[in-house]
Amino acid sequence: MYSFEQFCINFANEKLQQHFNEHVFKMEQEEYQKEEINWSYIEFIDNQDVLDLIEKKPIGIIALLDEACMFPKSTHQTFTNKLFQNFRGHPRLEKAKFYETDFTISHYAGKVTYKTETFLDKNRDYVVVEHRNLLSSSECPFIAGLFPSLGEESSRSSYKFSSVASRFK
């Protein structure tokens, strides 16, 4: 069983796989057709349906997770209930066998079961504006680039909700 962090890593892997498929298979094979090169079509699995399941708006796993984080009374149980209500019968999503609040995604590389117990808390992870401002003023360009300045509007409140999953996406 894997956690929120592994969910984000696997989402990134799905995006990389899609990029690879797009450039190596789809675009190259289209180019071969245009140039009338004799070749054998290469079959590959398109993972767009997994990406849609995870990131599509208004209803995807990340959107549902963000929505659940907006309501103080939401729990991992209410999140997974809503997840299964919205994606009943989706070929890439299934309930975990032993725990009602866990779910399994059939990723490009195989099935992975996620334990949702800490998903909401980890996704809420508020960023304190003062901390963000300190990091954005770092002399290290890499660190400063990770935390761009929010401007005047945002610095008036002590924190601004921006979910971890949405920022990662």
Side-chain angles (χ1 to χ4, degrees):
M1 302 249 188
Y2 294 97
S3 67
F4 177 74
E5 295 85 355
Q6 189 63 51
F7 173 77
C8 291
I9 291 167
N10 290 345
F11 170 56
N13 288 338
E14 289 287 350
K15 293 292 271 187
L16 289 169
Q17 185 64 52
Q18 181 196 44
H19 183 77
F20 177 82
N21 287 351
E22 182 71 27
H23 287 84
V24 173
F25 294 124
K26 291 179 184 175
M27 291 171 68
E28 283 300 313
Q29 293 188 112
E30 286 172 7
E31 192 65 33
Y32 282 19
Q33 283 178 329
K34 283 180 197 170
E35 295 180 15
E36 298 179 2
I37 296 173
N38 188 15
W39 56 281
S40 297
Y41 182 80
I42 299 170
E43 292 287 331
F44 63 94
I45 297 169
D46 187 357
N47 67 335
Q48 185 59 54
D49 60 336
V50 177
L51 290 171
D52 289 345
L53 172 68
I54 295 170
E55 70 177 338
K56 194 169 185 178
K57 287 186 176 182
I59 297 178
I61 294 173
I62 292 174
L64 291 174
L65 182 58
D66 287 354
E67 181 182 288
C69 289
M70 300 287 192
F71 297 101
K73 293 187 179 190
S74 289
T75 65
H76 66 287
Q77 178 72 50
T78 58
F79 163 66
T80 51
N81 286 346
K82 194 154 190 179
L83 184 67
F84 292 122
Q85 284 172 5
N86 282 283
F87 293 107
R88 186 180 331 229
H90 193 287
R92 298 282 199 142
L93 180 74
E94 56 190 70
K95 285 187 177 185
K97 293 181 178 163
F98 301 111
Y99 299 98
E100 285 185 16
T101 59
D102 298 345
F103 64 92
T104 301
I105 295 178
S106 295
H107 286 286
Y108 186 88
K111 289 185 176 188
V112 178
T113 299
Y114 297 100
K115 188 166 194 58
T116 64
E117 213 167 82
T118 59
F119 265 46
L120 272 68
D121 289 337
K122 290 180 178 183
N123 192 47
R124 281 186 181 117
D125 195 26
Y126 290 98
V127 177
V128 177
V129 173
E130 288 80 12
H131 298 171
R132 182 182 200 89
N133 290 341
L134 178 66
L135 291 166
S136 72
S137 66
S138 172
E139 291 180 18
C140 174
F142 176 73
I143 299 295
L146 292 173
F147 298 92
S149 182
L150 293 173
E152 288 295 314
E153 285 281 319
S154 299
S155 57
R156 290 185 189 139
S157 64
S158 60
Y159 60 83
K160 178 183 179 184
F161 179 73
S162 172
S163 78
V164 172
S166 290
R167 288 193 316 264
F168 187 81
K169 182 174 116 176

